[in-house]
Amino acid sequence: MKVKTIIAGNWKMNTGAKEAGELVEELLANIKTGAYGPAVVLAPPFPFLADTVQRLAAATKGRQQWMVAAQNCHQEEHGAFTGEVSAPMLKSLGVQACIVGHSERRQYFGETDTAVAKKVSALLRHGLMPIYCCGERLDERQSGRHREVVAQQITTALGNLTPGELARVVVAYEPVWAIGTGVTATPQQAREMHAFIRAELRRIAPGVADQVPILYGGSCKPDNAAGLFAGEDINGGLIGGAALSADSFAALVRIAQEAKSTA
Ligand code: PEP
């Protein structure tokens, strides 16, 4: 089975209400992707999720492949967790996916692999698609521990999933040293780690591991994406900075489409 190609844009804590709406409209005007093209996932900040869902719904023709994702969620369903947002709340808005385990959440908000594992389960329970981020820090790569670190992250967050659950997950390999730094992994480094992640997923659920999309994230831009997306186990990208420009993001969707149609 061919793995789905996905280009996901993580807007992080950027844009205001007006700008967010304009960006969605520009993306809708610029991105042409049909049933066989890459899926497009937009992850705006929480306050703009509902508006983004509505704008996409209003532009349904040829947009079946478009999804809205949140950038985080809480693992519990409801209760005394001031400031948090749960998976069923996202579901009730029409949000279909959610990024979890982003390195910025791990670094600035102390999220552990165990907490992230609970978030993955909560999302699956409520029918949302988790986009699970993993990746090593610079010191871990320099000391040759990158495989060990990523294997540990994957085992803790995804190791207990059933095959049916794993089949609904998207993994994003995001080396921390490449996020927002302008330094990207070389195609060789990315290919090697994606093949390693695929092998880890096969250990968990051999029957479905080959259909799990593994996205690359970390300073991915139109001028370096072709080499990255050409990699066999690189099924698209999780894009930060370049997702804030409709031109760059649309170019990335085109590059992914070309890379995968010639693969
Ligand atoms: C990200 O935040 O997930 C990301 C990949 O950011 P950037 O593309 O800016 O490195």
Side-chain angles (χ1 to χ4, degrees):
M1 186 196 234
K2 210 164 179 253
V3 193
K4 179 99 216 113
T5 304
I6 298 176
I7 298 295
N10 172 13
W11 300 7
K12 310 194 188 196
M13 197 172 73
N14 291 299
T15 72
K18 184 165 176 289
E19 263 180 291
E22 285 167 0
L23 182 52
V24 176
E25 295 302 332
E26 271 183 76
L27 291 167
L28 284 166
N30 278 290
I31 297 177
K32 305 274 168 266
T33 174
Y36 301 104
V40 177
V41 179
L42 306 182
F46 281 129
F48 314 134
L49 284 170
D51 183 64
T52 305
V53 168
Q54 279 157 21
R55 285 177 194 272
L56 294 196
T60 45
K61 199 164 165 290
R63 314 285 180 196
Q64 302 89 336
Q65 297 250 79
W66 290 56
M67 272 186 246
V68 180
Q71 297 174 18
N72 181 35
C73 70
H74 194 271
Q75 56 269 35
E76 299 298 335
E77 299 192 354
H78 52 80
F81 301 100
T82 301
E84 292 292 329
V85 173
S86 70
M89 290 175 185
L90 296 173
K91 180 84 181 171
S92 72
L93 278 183
V95 169
Q96 294 126 304
C98 182
I99 299 171
V100 281
H102 192 281
S103 67
E104 288 153 16
R105 300 291 319 167
R106 295 174 190 264
Q107 185 181 352
Y108 303 125
F109 303 94
E111 281 188 14
T112 60
D113 283 338
T114 316
V116 176
K118 290 184 184 157
K119 294 181 186 213
V120 169
S121 300
L123 289 166
L124 290 170
R125 246 191 339 271
H126 292 282
L128 285 113
M129 179 178 91
I131 303 175
Y132 170 69
C133 302
C134 58
E136 79 286 357
R137 297 191 312 258
L138 184 60
D139 59 311
E140 292 164 336
R141 176 157 285 263
Q142 284 171 336
S143 60
R145 293 179 50 235
H146 45 292
R147 289 186 206 84
E148 186 192 320
V149 168
V150 170
Q152 179 65 50
Q153 291 171 337
I154 300 241
T155 304
T156 312
L158 309 180
N160 292 325
L161 299 184
T162 64
E165 288 170 335
L166 188 68
R168 290 159 48 210
V169 170
V170 171
V171 174
Y173 169 60
E174 300 211 300
V176 180
W177 44 273
I179 298 180
T181 57
V183 179
T184 188
T186 63
Q188 184 54 34
Q189 285 171 320
R191 275 171 207 220
E192 193 253 330
M193 282 305 284
H194 281 237
F196 176 76
I197 290 169
R198 182 77 66 206
E200 287 298 303
L201 297 176
R202 285 187 188 129
R203 271 193 326 102
I204 298 170
V208 301
D210 288 2
Q211 72 194 59
V212 174
I214 309 177
L215 314 184
Y216 169 79
S219 297
C220 184
K221 308 220 160 14
D223 61 0
N224 59 27
L228 291 163
F229 294 164
E232 190 188 331
D233 285 303
I234 304 181
N235 311 116
L238 177 54
I239 314 298
L244 292 169
S245 143
D247 284 350
S248 315
F249 196 71
L252 286 164
V253 175
R254 271 197 306 279
I255 293 165
Q257 178 144 18
E258 275 158 24
K260 296 308 173 190
S261 59
T262 52

mmCIF file of all heavy atoms in Angstrom, residues 162-204:
data_model
loop_
_atom_site.group_PDB
_atom_site.id
_atom_site.type_symbol
_atom_site.label_atom_id
_atom_site.label_comp_id
_atom_site.label_asym_id
_atom_site.label_seq_id
_atom_site.Cartn_x
_atom_site.Cartn_y
_atom_site.Cartn_z
ATOM 1 N N THR A 162 -2.339 -0.603 19.483
ATOM 2 C CA THR A 162 -2.711 -1.770 18.681
ATOM 3 C C THR A 162 -2.378 -1.446 17.222
ATOM 4 O O THR A 162 -2.243 -0.258 16.864
ATOM 5 C CB THR A 162 -4.226 -2.039 18.773
ATOM 6 O OG1 THR A 162 -4.905 -0.908 18.194
ATOM 7 C CG2 THR A 162 -4.681 -2.222 20.228
ATOM 8 N N PRO A 163 -2.304 -2.463 16.360
ATOM 9 C CA PRO A 163 -2.044 -2.159 14.944
ATOM 10 C C PRO A 163 -3.076 -1.185 14.370
ATOM 11 O O PRO A 163 -2.721 -0.267 13.633
ATOM 12 C CB PRO A 163 -2.123 -3.542 14.269
ATOM 13 C CG PRO A 163 -1.737 -4.507 15.360
ATOM 14 C CD PRO A 163 -2.278 -3.924 16.635
ATOM 15 N N GLY A 164 -4.329 -1.360 14.752
ATOM 16 C CA GLY A 164 -5.380 -0.469 14.229
ATOM 17 C C GLY A 164 -5.144 0.976 14.654
ATOM 18 O O GLY A 164 -5.418 1.910 13.903
ATOM 19 N N GLU A 165 -4.643 1.148 15.874
ATOM 20 C CA GLU A 165 -4.368 2.508 16.352
ATOM 21 C C GLU A 165 -3.136 3.082 15.644
ATOM 22 O O GLU A 165 -3.151 4.238 15.198
ATOM 23 C CB GLU A 165 -4.141 2.486 17.867
ATOM 24 C CG GLU A 165 -5.423 2.249 18.655
ATOM 25 C CD GLU A 165 -5.165 1.979 20.144
ATOM 26 O OE1 GLU A 165 -4.055 1.514 20.508
ATOM 27 O OE2 GLU A 165 -6.084 2.211 20.937
ATOM 28 N N LEU A 166 -2.073 2.275 15.562
ATOM 29 C CA LEU A 166 -0.848 2.791 14.922
ATOM 30 C C LEU A 166 -1.131 3.227 13.476
ATOM 31 O O LEU A 166 -0.554 4.201 12.989
ATOM 32 C CB LEU A 166 0.280 1.745 14.957
ATOM 33 C CG LEU A 166 1.625 2.279 14.483
ATOM 34 C CD1 LEU A 166 2.193 3.310 15.472
ATOM 35 C CD2 LEU A 166 2.641 1.172 14.265
ATOM 36 N N ALA A 167 -2.037 2.517 12.835
ATOM 37 C CA ALA A 167 -2.353 2.838 11.432
ATOM 38 C C ALA A 167 -2.979 4.230 11.291
ATOM 39 O O ALA A 167 -3.047 4.772 10.196
ATOM 40 C CB ALA A 167 -3.298 1.780 10.862
ATOM 41 N N ARG A 168 -3.426 4.819 12.399
ATOM 42 C CA ARG A 168 -4.069 6.145 12.335
ATOM 43 C C ARG A 168 -3.136 7.265 12.785
ATOM 44 O O ARG A 168 -3.555 8.412 12.928
ATOM 45 C CB ARG A 168 -5.346 6.134 13.188
ATOM 46 C CG ARG A 168 -6.436 5.265 12.544
ATOM 47 C CD ARG A 168 -7.482 4.805 13.535
ATOM 48 N NE ARG A 168 -7.956 5.900 14.339
ATOM 49 C CZ ARG A 168 -8.400 5.783 15.601
ATOM 50 N NH1 ARG A 168 -8.404 4.597 16.192
ATOM 51 N NH2 ARG A 168 -8.811 6.829 16.257
ATOM 52 N N VAL A 169 -1.854 6.908 13.015
ATOM 53 C CA VAL A 169 -0.887 7.898 13.523
ATOM 54 C C VAL A 169 -0.003 8.387 12.376
ATOM 55 O O VAL A 169 0.290 7.655 11.440
ATOM 56 C CB VAL A 169 -0.007 7.226 14.617
ATOM 57 C CG1 VAL A 169 1.164 8.117 15.018
ATOM 58 C CG2 VAL A 169 -0.851 6.861 15.831
ATOM 59 N N VAL A 170 0.407 9.639 12.481
ATOM 60 C CA VAL A 170 1.446 10.184 11.595
ATOM 61 C C VAL A 170 2.648 10.490 12.498
ATOM 62 O O VAL A 170 2.479 11.031 13.597
ATOM 63 C CB VAL A 170 0.958 11.478 10.917
ATOM 64 C CG1 VAL A 170 2.078 12.177 10.162
ATOM 65 C CG2 VAL A 170 -0.211 11.170 9.986
ATOM 66 N N VAL A 171 3.843 10.134 12.039
ATOM 67 C CA VAL A 171 5.052 10.441 12.814
ATOM 68 C C VAL A 171 5.785 11.579 12.117
ATOM 69 O O VAL A 171 5.826 11.630 10.883
ATOM 70 C CB VAL A 171 5.974 9.194 12.899
ATOM 71 C CG1 VAL A 171 7.304 9.533 13.570
ATOM 72 C CG2 VAL A 171 5.276 8.060 13.662
ATOM 73 N N ALA A 172 6.308 12.528 12.898
ATOM 74 C CA ALA A 172 7.150 13.576 12.304
ATOM 75 C C ALA A 172 8.531 13.481 12.948
ATOM 76 O O ALA A 172 8.645 13.612 14.175
ATOM 77 C CB ALA A 172 6.539 14.950 12.540
ATOM 78 N N TYR A 173 9.541 13.229 12.127
ATOM 79 C CA TYR A 173 10.922 13.247 12.638
ATOM 80 C C TYR A 173 11.420 14.678 12.532
ATOM 81 O O TYR A 173 11.525 15.227 11.432
ATOM 82 C CB TYR A 173 11.815 12.297 11.838
ATOM 83 C CG TYR A 173 13.275 12.512 12.177
ATOM 84 C CD1 TYR A 173 13.733 12.345 13.486
ATOM 85 C CD2 TYR A 173 14.196 12.909 11.205
ATOM 86 C CE1 TYR A 173 15.064 12.572 13.820
ATOM 87 C CE2 TYR A 173 15.526 13.131 11.528
ATOM 88 C CZ TYR A 173 15.949 12.967 12.835
ATOM 89 O OH TYR A 173 17.265 13.203 13.173
ATOM 90 N N GLU A 174 11.693 15.280 13.679
ATOM 91 C CA GLU A 174 12.125 16.673 13.711
ATOM 92 C C GLU A 174 13.383 16.785 14.570
ATOM 93 O O GLU A 174 13.274 16.945 15.803
ATOM 94 C CB GLU A 174 11.029 17.553 14.316
ATOM 95 C CG GLU A 174 9.735 17.529 13.555
ATOM 96 C CD GLU A 174 8.989 18.853 13.672
ATOM 97 O OE1 GLU A 174 8.645 19.257 14.797
ATOM 98 O OE2 GLU A 174 8.803 19.493 12.643
ATOM 99 N N PRO A 175 14.560 16.697 13.956
ATOM 100 C CA PRO A 175 15.765 16.877 14.755
ATOM 101 C C PRO A 175 15.734 18.273 15.390
ATOM 102 O O PRO A 175 15.526 19.267 14.683
ATOM 103 C CB PRO A 175 16.906 16.738 13.734
ATOM 104 C CG PRO A 175 16.273 16.827 12.382
ATOM 105 C CD PRO A 175 14.823 16.526 12.519
ATOM 106 N N VAL A 176 15.901 18.336 16.694
ATOM 107 C CA VAL A 176 15.698 19.608 17.406
ATOM 108 C C VAL A 176 16.661 20.674 16.886
ATOM 109 O O VAL A 176 16.298 21.849 16.778
ATOM 110 C CB VAL A 176 15.872 19.380 18.929
ATOM 111 C CG1 VAL A 176 15.675 20.677 19.698
ATOM 112 C CG2 VAL A 176 14.889 18.333 19.432
ATOM 113 N N TRP A 177 17.863 20.254 16.510
ATOM 114 C CA TRP A 177 18.879 21.196 16.027
ATOM 115 C C TRP A 177 18.508 21.797 14.673
ATOM 116 O O TRP A 177 19.151 22.747 14.224
ATOM 117 C CB TRP A 177 20.251 20.509 15.956
ATOM 118 C CG TRP A 177 20.217 19.134 15.352
ATOM 119 C CD1 TRP A 177 19.980 17.954 16.006
ATOM 120 C CD2 TRP A 177 20.396 18.788 13.974
ATOM 121 N NE1 TRP A 177 19.995 16.906 15.129
ATOM 122 C CE2 TRP A 177 20.261 17.390 13.875
ATOM 123 C CE3 TRP A 177 20.664 19.521 12.820
ATOM 124 C CZ2 TRP A 177 20.377 16.701 12.673
ATOM 125 C CZ3 TRP A 177 20.784 18.841 11.611
ATOM 126 C CH2 TRP A 177 20.637 17.445 11.551
ATOM 127 N N ALA A 178 17.493 21.270 14.024
ATOM 128 C CA ALA A 178 17.109 21.802 12.709
ATOM 129 C C ALA A 178 15.857 22.663 12.777
ATOM 130 O O ALA A 178 15.500 23.328 11.807
ATOM 131 C CB ALA A 178 16.889 20.642 11.735
ATOM 132 N N ILE A 179 15.173 22.682 13.924
ATOM 133 C CA ILE A 179 13.896 23.404 13.996
ATOM 134 C C ILE A 179 14.128 24.895 14.179
ATOM 135 O O ILE A 179 14.718 25.320 15.178
ATOM 136 C CB ILE A 179 13.013 22.860 15.139
ATOM 137 C CG1 ILE A 179 12.699 21.395 14.873
ATOM 138 C CG2 ILE A 179 11.735 23.674 15.274
ATOM 139 C CD1 ILE A 179 11.850 20.756 15.929
ATOM 140 N N GLY A 180 13.695 25.657 13.182
ATOM 141 C CA GLY A 180 13.772 27.113 13.251
ATOM 142 C C GLY A 180 15.192 27.652 13.231
ATOM 143 O O GLY A 180 15.410 28.828 13.511
ATOM 144 N N THR A 181 16.166 26.814 12.895
ATOM 145 C CA THR A 181 17.565 27.250 12.955
ATOM 146 C C THR A 181 18.119 27.611 11.579
ATOM 147 O O THR A 181 19.174 28.213 11.475
ATOM 148 C CB THR A 181 18.455 26.124 13.517
ATOM 149 O OG1 THR A 181 18.286 24.963 12.678
ATOM 150 C CG2 THR A 181 18.097 25.783 14.944
ATOM 151 N N GLY A 182 17.422 27.193 10.522
ATOM 152 C CA GLY A 182 17.963 27.394 9.180
ATOM 153 C C GLY A 182 18.917 26.274 8.785
ATOM 154 O O GLY A 182 19.334 26.179 7.630
ATOM 155 N N VAL A 183 19.271 25.429 9.737
ATOM 156 C CA VAL A 183 20.137 24.274 9.432
ATOM 157 C C VAL A 183 19.210 23.085 9.246
ATOM 158 O O VAL A 183 18.448 22.743 10.148
ATOM 159 C CB VAL A 183 21.055 23.934 10.632
ATOM 160 C CG1 VAL A 183 21.939 22.732 10.328
ATOM 161 C CG2 VAL A 183 21.875 25.140 11.021
ATOM 162 N N THR A 184 19.269 22.483 8.063
ATOM 163 C CA THR A 184 18.389 21.332 7.867
ATOM 164 C C THR A 184 19.204 20.042 7.890
ATOM 165 O O THR A 184 20.414 20.077 7.657
ATOM 166 C CB THR A 184 17.599 21.490 6.541
ATOM 167 O OG1 THR A 184 16.636 20.471 6.479
ATOM 168 C CG2 THR A 184 18.486 21.438 5.337
ATOM 169 N N ALA A 185 18.544 18.932 8.169
ATOM 170 C CA ALA A 185 19.253 17.645 8.059
ATOM 171 C C ALA A 185 19.585 17.436 6.589
ATOM 172 O O ALA A 185 18.836 17.883 5.712
ATOM 173 C CB ALA A 185 18.355 16.522 8.561
ATOM 174 N N THR A 186 20.685 16.776 6.309
ATOM 175 C CA THR A 186 20.971 16.469 4.905
ATOM 176 C C THR A 186 19.991 15.378 4.474
ATOM 177 O O THR A 186 19.486 14.624 5.320
ATOM 178 C CB THR A 186 22.406 15.936 4.727
ATOM 179 O OG1 THR A 186 22.504 14.695 5.449
ATOM 180 C CG2 THR A 186 23.445 16.919 5.241
ATOM 181 N N PRO A 187 19.733 15.272 3.160
ATOM 182 C CA PRO A 187 18.849 14.184 2.717
ATOM 183 C C PRO A 187 19.324 12.832 3.234
ATOM 184 O O PRO A 187 18.529 11.994 3.627
ATOM 185 C CB PRO A 187 18.930 14.276 1.193
ATOM 186 C CG PRO A 187 19.205 15.721 0.927
ATOM 187 C CD PRO A 187 20.116 16.172 2.055
ATOM 188 N N GLN A 188 20.646 12.654 3.291
ATOM 189 C CA GLN A 188 21.198 11.381 3.765
ATOM 190 C C GLN A 188 20.860 11.140 5.241
ATOM 191 O O GLN A 188 20.425 10.043 5.637
ATOM 192 C CB GLN A 188 22.725 11.407 3.540
ATOM 193 C CG GLN A 188 23.440 10.131 3.892
ATOM 194 C CD GLN A 188 22.839 8.929 3.171
ATOM 195 O OE1 GLN A 188 22.388 9.057 2.030
ATOM 196 N NE2 GLN A 188 22.793 7.794 3.854
ATOM 197 N N GLN A 189 21.056 12.174 6.058
ATOM 198 C CA GLN A 189 20.741 12.038 7.496
ATOM 199 C C GLN A 189 19.248 11.750 7.679
ATOM 200 O O GLN A 189 18.859 10.919 8.492
ATOM 201 C CB GLN A 189 21.084 13.343 8.245
ATOM 202 C CG GLN A 189 22.559 13.552 8.473
ATOM 203 C CD GLN A 189 22.830 14.955 9.025
ATOM 204 O OE1 GLN A 189 22.219 15.939 8.610
ATOM 205 N NE2 GLN A 189 23.758 15.053 9.965
ATOM 206 N N ALA A 190 18.410 12.477 6.917
ATOM 207 C CA ALA A 190 16.961 12.293 7.065
ATOM 208 C C ALA A 190 16.559 10.895 6.609
ATOM 209 O O ALA A 190 15.817 10.193 7.304
ATOM 210 C CB ALA A 190 16.224 13.373 6.277
ATOM 211 N N ARG A 191 17.081 10.462 5.474
ATOM 212 C CA ARG A 191 16.734 9.116 4.986
ATOM 213 C C ARG A 191 17.108 8.042 5.989
ATOM 214 O O ARG A 191 16.349 7.102 6.228
ATOM 215 C CB ARG A 191 17.533 8.799 3.714
ATOM 216 C CG ARG A 191 16.893 9.311 2.481
ATOM 217 C CD ARG A 191 17.842 9.166 1.315
ATOM 218 N NE ARG A 191 17.469 10.195 0.372
ATOM 219 C CZ ARG A 191 17.431 10.034 -0.930
ATOM 220 N NH1 ARG A 191 17.787 8.899 -1.468
ATOM 221 N NH2 ARG A 191 17.055 11.009 -1.715
ATOM 222 N N GLU A 192 18.287 8.207 6.538
ATOM 223 C CA GLU A 192 18.786 7.195 7.475
ATOM 224 C C GLU A 192 17.869 7.124 8.696
ATOM 225 O O GLU A 192 17.462 6.036 9.134
ATOM 226 C CB GLU A 192 20.223 7.578 7.849
ATOM 227 C CG GLU A 192 21.019 6.514 8.546
ATOM 228 C CD GLU A 192 21.215 6.831 10.022
ATOM 229 O OE1 GLU A 192 21.267 8.024 10.389
ATOM 230 O OE2 GLU A 192 21.279 5.881 10.800
ATOM 231 N N MET A 193 17.475 8.284 9.244
ATOM 232 C CA MET A 193 16.621 8.278 10.435
ATOM 233 C C MET A 193 15.193 7.834 10.109
ATOM 234 O O MET A 193 14.556 7.156 10.917
ATOM 235 C CB MET A 193 16.597 9.663 11.092
ATOM 236 C CG MET A 193 17.816 9.970 11.908
ATOM 237 S SD MET A 193 18.151 8.708 13.182
ATOM 238 C CE MET A 193 16.918 9.105 14.398
ATOM 239 N N HIS A 194 14.703 8.187 8.935
ATOM 240 C CA HIS A 194 13.340 7.750 8.579
ATOM 241 C C HIS A 194 13.296 6.235 8.405
ATOM 242 O O HIS A 194 12.329 5.582 8.818
ATOM 243 C CB HIS A 194 12.854 8.469 7.313
ATOM 244 C CG HIS A 194 12.374 9.869 7.582
ATOM 245 N ND1 HIS A 194 11.114 10.323 7.256
ATOM 246 C CD2 HIS A 194 12.996 10.908 8.191
ATOM 247 C CE1 HIS A 194 10.982 11.590 7.638
ATOM 248 N NE2 HIS A 194 12.122 11.965 8.194
ATOM 249 N N ALA A 195 14.353 5.670 7.809
ATOM 250 C CA ALA A 195 14.395 4.205 7.658
ATOM 251 C C ALA A 195 14.468 3.556 9.037
ATOM 252 O O ALA A 195 13.833 2.523 9.297
ATOM 253 C CB ALA A 195 15.592 3.799 6.801
ATOM 254 N N PHE A 196 15.212 4.195 9.918
ATOM 255 C CA PHE A 196 15.327 3.668 11.286
ATOM 256 C C PHE A 196 13.952 3.710 11.976
ATOM 257 O O PHE A 196 13.527 2.743 12.626
ATOM 258 C CB PHE A 196 16.360 4.500 12.059
ATOM 259 C CG PHE A 196 16.475 4.099 13.499
ATOM 260 C CD1 PHE A 196 17.157 2.947 13.859
ATOM 261 C CD2 PHE A 196 15.873 4.859 14.489
ATOM 262 C CE1 PHE A 196 17.236 2.558 15.199
ATOM 263 C CE2 PHE A 196 15.946 4.485 15.823
ATOM 264 C CZ PHE A 196 16.637 3.326 16.185
ATOM 265 N N ILE A 197 13.238 4.835 11.826
ATOM 266 C CA ILE A 197 11.907 4.963 12.453
ATOM 267 C C ILE A 197 10.948 3.917 11.852
ATOM 268 O O ILE A 197 10.183 3.275 12.566
ATOM 269 C CB ILE A 197 11.367 6.397 12.276
ATOM 270 C CG1 ILE A 197 12.195 7.356 13.136
ATOM 271 C CG2 ILE A 197 9.873 6.492 12.630
ATOM 272 C CD1 ILE A 197 11.963 8.827 12.873
ATOM 273 N N ARG A 198 11.030 3.727 10.536
ATOM 274 C CA ARG A 198 10.165 2.712 9.909
ATOM 275 C C ARG A 198 10.435 1.347 10.544
ATOM 276 O O ARG A 198 9.505 0.603 10.858
ATOM 277 C CB ARG A 198 10.447 2.668 8.403
ATOM 278 C CG ARG A 198 9.580 1.692 7.640
ATOM 279 C CD ARG A 198 8.157 2.175 7.395
ATOM 280 N NE ARG A 198 8.114 3.313 6.508
ATOM 281 C CZ ARG A 198 7.134 4.214 6.505
ATOM 282 N NH1 ARG A 198 6.115 4.093 7.352
ATOM 283 N NH2 ARG A 198 7.163 5.223 5.675
ATOM 284 N N ALA A 199 11.695 1.047 10.768
ATOM 285 C CA ALA A 199 12.045 -0.253 11.362
ATOM 286 C C ALA A 199 11.488 -0.348 12.794
ATOM 287 O O ALA A 199 10.988 -1.398 13.206
ATOM 288 C CB ALA A 199 13.562 -0.444 11.344
ATOM 289 N N GLU A 200 11.541 0.751 13.526
ATOM 290 C CA GLU A 200 10.982 0.762 14.894
ATOM 291 C C GLU A 200 9.473 0.528 14.837
ATOM 292 O O GLU A 200 8.908 -0.193 15.665
ATOM 293 C CB GLU A 200 11.272 2.108 15.580
ATOM 294 C CG GLU A 200 12.717 2.297 15.986
ATOM 295 C CD GLU A 200 13.172 1.250 17.001
ATOM 296 O OE1 GLU A 200 12.550 1.153 18.067
ATOM 297 O OE2 GLU A 200 14.129 0.518 16.706
ATOM 298 N N LEU A 201 8.803 1.159 13.889
ATOM 299 C CA LEU A 201 7.346 0.990 13.767
ATOM 300 C C LEU A 201 7.019 -0.459 13.403
ATOM 301 O O LEU A 201 6.030 -1.026 13.880
ATOM 302 C CB LEU A 201 6.773 1.945 12.713
ATOM 303 C CG LEU A 201 6.922 3.447 13.019
ATOM 304 C CD1 LEU A 201 6.395 4.288 11.852
ATOM 305 C CD2 LEU A 201 6.184 3.838 14.305
ATOM 306 N N ARG A 202 7.883 -1.073 12.589
ATOM 307 C CA ARG A 202 7.647 -2.487 12.218
ATOM 308 C C ARG A 202 7.754 -3.385 13.435
ATOM 309 O O ARG A 202 7.095 -4.420 13.509
ATOM 310 C CB ARG A 202 8.659 -2.938 11.156
ATOM 311 C CG ARG A 202 8.329 -2.388 9.792
ATOM 312 C CD ARG A 202 9.228 -2.988 8.719
ATOM 313 N NE ARG A 202 9.005 -2.296 7.472
ATOM 314 C CZ ARG A 202 9.965 -1.774 6.720
ATOM 315 N NH1 ARG A 202 11.229 -1.911 7.049
ATOM 316 N NH2 ARG A 202 9.657 -1.144 5.608
ATOM 317 N N ARG A 203 8.595 -3.002 14.369
ATOM 318 C CA ARG A 203 8.722 -3.814 15.590
ATOM 319 C C ARG A 203 7.406 -3.756 16.380
ATOM 320 O O ARG A 203 7.006 -4.715 17.027
ATOM 321 C CB ARG A 203 9.843 -3.252 16.484
ATOM 322 C CG ARG A 203 11.208 -3.815 16.203
ATOM 323 C CD ARG A 203 12.236 -3.503 17.283
ATOM 324 N NE ARG A 203 12.095 -2.217 17.929
ATOM 325 C CZ ARG A 203 11.558 -2.020 19.126
ATOM 326 N NH1 ARG A 203 11.111 -3.019 19.842
ATOM 327 N NH2 ARG A 203 11.487 -0.803 19.633
ATOM 328 N N ILE A 204 6.735 -2.599 16.349
ATOM 329 C CA ILE A 204 5.494 -2.427 17.122
ATOM 330 C C ILE A 204 4.325 -3.131 16.421
ATOM 331 O O ILE A 204 3.550 -3.852 17.054
ATOM 332 C CB ILE A 204 5.170 -0.923 17.300
ATOM 333 C CG1 ILE A 204 6.284 -0.234 18.089
ATOM 334 C CG2 ILE A 204 3.816 -0.715 17.984
ATOM 335 C CD1 ILE A 204 6.187 1.282 18.123
#
